[in-house]
Amino acid sequence: MTPDLVIFDCDGVLVDSEPLSNRVLVDNLARHGLTLTLDQAMGLFVGGTMAGVGAKARDLGADLPDDWVDRIYAETYARLREGVDPIPGISALLDRLDAAGLPYCVASNGSEEKMAITLGATGLAPRFEGRRYSAHTLGTAKPDPALFQHAARACGVAPERCIVVEDSATGAEAARRANMPCLGYAPTGDGARLSAQGARIIRDMAEIAAMLGLPAARVEPAPK
């Protein structure tokens, strides 16, 4: 199907922020008595809310202060402001969506501030101006489908006419519950947790353009 709207997750789909954010988290939790590897942290926490991360970390033995969520956000945002890369191939994919006139937006469990930092650092922010939807603002989070449903309504598109691009099982579950086909971005690993939620696994952003039959982006000739 050619959709009427592509809904992107942000972290791990548009911007390569997950390793950076989770390294900050690993270092922080170690100071509070919970030692994890980066791979363990990403397996446990990617796709969740920070409040949920804190609750799970406490269950695992971390001694976190009451204001931990505010503190970890401050540490994470400070690290992300130092720089973050776009996901390989995402700019080219957005070029091709633009060339096809196919609308897209971003819907993230992250805050508006975090999206502004990461999308701004990668130069992607103008491409999502007025089309950024945050679980913090809406007051609900994936795997609740409400965030994706809200994004579809805001863009005037029926849920079944959307395609979601996600990298977490939590996001893929939200897409399934919203009745939206999901492409699960898994550049490494087997993608089993994504496919268990019904996502079709992709390894490279170029696969999306080919899957949707998008025309190549027009390249303007260099001025003479």
Side-chain angles (χ1 to χ4, degrees), residues 19 24 39-40 43 53-54 63 75 99 115-116 120 123 139 158 162 164 169 183-184 201:
V24 172
D39 285 345
Q40 286 173 329
V53 169
D63 183 16
E75 290 181 30
M115 283 193 282
C162 301
V164 171
L183 302 179
I201 302 302

Side-chain angles (χ1 to χ4, degrees), residues 78-218:
R79 175 60 187 88
L80 293 174
R81 286 189 180 95
E82 295 176 10
V84 60
D85 294 325
I87 290 294
I90 193 62
S91 293
L93 173 59
L94 298 179
D95 286 343
R96 295 182 71 175
L97 290 171
D98 287 337
L102 182 51
Y104 51 86
C105 67
V106 56
S108 173
N109 270 359
S111 67
E112 295 278 2
E113 182 179 4
K114 185 179 183 183
M115 283 193 282
I117 293 168
T118 57
L119 294 175
T122 55
L124 296 175
R127 309 189 79 150
F128 292 91
E129 192 64 39
R131 292 176 291 169
R132 298 200 298 243
Y133 305 102
S134 166
H136 286 223
T137 303
L138 191 61
T140 188
K142 310 167 195 175
D144 189 318
L147 179 60
F148 288 149
Q149 292 166 335
H150 173 79
R153 283 195 303 271
C155 294
V157 177
E160 64 272 16
R161 298 299 306 169
C162 301
I163 278 184
V164 171
V165 185
E166 268 287 351
D167 71 322
S168 73
T170 302
E173 180 183 348
R176 176 179 57 78
R177 292 172 62 188
N179 195 30
M180 298 178 182
C182 182
L183 302 179
Y185 179 59
T188 61
D190 60 10
R193 295 175 68 183
L194 287 161
S195 58
Q197 293 296 335
R200 177 175 175 178
I201 302 302
I202 57 168
R203 304 293 184 181
D204 188 288
M205 288 298 168
E207 293 179 51
I208 298 178
M211 200 176 297
L212 300 181
L214 299 179
R218 180 180 176 185

